């Protein structure tokens, strides 16, 4: 059954985030980035946003992604996340739209990504920035509570499991996006204190 976009769902997610104890990463020289898990309504159903990255980007072209990017000097995590949301999909959000944050996720490419949870009362003004985003895709939050997902894979290059999150009828995503969304589902929708920083990325995403 789909989750209805309403004040009750908003309060549940905000409450679980407020009670969530964040993992503190060890000191490391990682570049800091922020992404948004943006929740909004489509025909009354609560959806989250994924984008398809533009095909001409130098890194990870054409892949599924959450709106986000590197934190500029002097920016907070939230400032950067909301700026990237506006730059990539034209949604204007304020600090009052932010419900909280999840654990930072360290990537193989040298980034520490902090997910910011954003609640939008409308998604009508979404427009993809063609320089960064090929298309925008709202998915029902119930995609993150599927009994058949995620799948954890073993690879010879690492002793950590690779996470594969199923998406729609015949697609899937990997970490870091899959790790972020998996933790969102576990913490915000199921009320669990699940950690994801040791979930692995596939080898092709290590660059």
């Amino acid at each position: 059954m789909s989750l209805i976009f309403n004040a009750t769902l908003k309060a549940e997610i905000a409450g679980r985030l407020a009670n969530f104890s964040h993992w503190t990463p060890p000191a490391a020289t990682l570049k800091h980035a922020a992404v948004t898990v943006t929740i909004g309504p489509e025909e009354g159903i609560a959806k989250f946003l994924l984008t398809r990255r533009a095909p001409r980007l130098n890194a990870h072209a054409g892949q599924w992604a959450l709106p986000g990017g590197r934190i500029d000097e002097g920016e907070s995590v939230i400032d950067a996340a909301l700026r990237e949301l506006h730059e990539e999909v034209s949604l204007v959000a304020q600090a009052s739209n932010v419900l909280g944050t999840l654990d930072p996720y360290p990537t193989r490419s040298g980034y520490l990504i902090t997910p910011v949870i954003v609640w939008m009362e409308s998604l009508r003004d979404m427009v993809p920035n063609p320089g960064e985003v090929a298309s925008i895709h709202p998915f029902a939050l119930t995609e993150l509570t599927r009994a058949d997902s995620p799948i954890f894979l073993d690879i010879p290059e690492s002793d950590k499991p690779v996470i594969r999150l199923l998406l729609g009828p015949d697609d899937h995503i990997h970490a870091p996006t899959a790790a972020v969304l998996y933790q969102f589902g576990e913490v915000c929708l199921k009320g669990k204190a699940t950690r994801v920083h040791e979930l692995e990325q596939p080898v092709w995403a290590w660059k």
Side-chain angles (χ1 to χ4, degrees), residues 20-28 30 32 101-106 112-115 183 193-198:
F20 179 62
S21 178
H22 291 78
W23 169 70
T24 301
L30 298 176
H32 290 266
T101 62
L102 291 169
D103 283 342
Y105 178 83
L112 189 67
I113 300 174
T114 300
Q183 189 177 53
T194 302
R195 301 296 183 195
V196 296
H197 58 276
E198 291 197 344

Side-chain angles (χ1 to χ4, degrees), residues 50-53 60-66 135-137 139 167 171-174 177:
L50 281 177
T51 67
R52 279 285 194 183
R53 290 170 60 84
H60 310 298
Q63 293 181 14
W64 290 112
L66 294 162
S135 53
I136 309 169
H137 302 264
F139 287 94
L167 191 66
D171 213 336
H172 61 267
I173 51 177
H174 292 102
T177 299

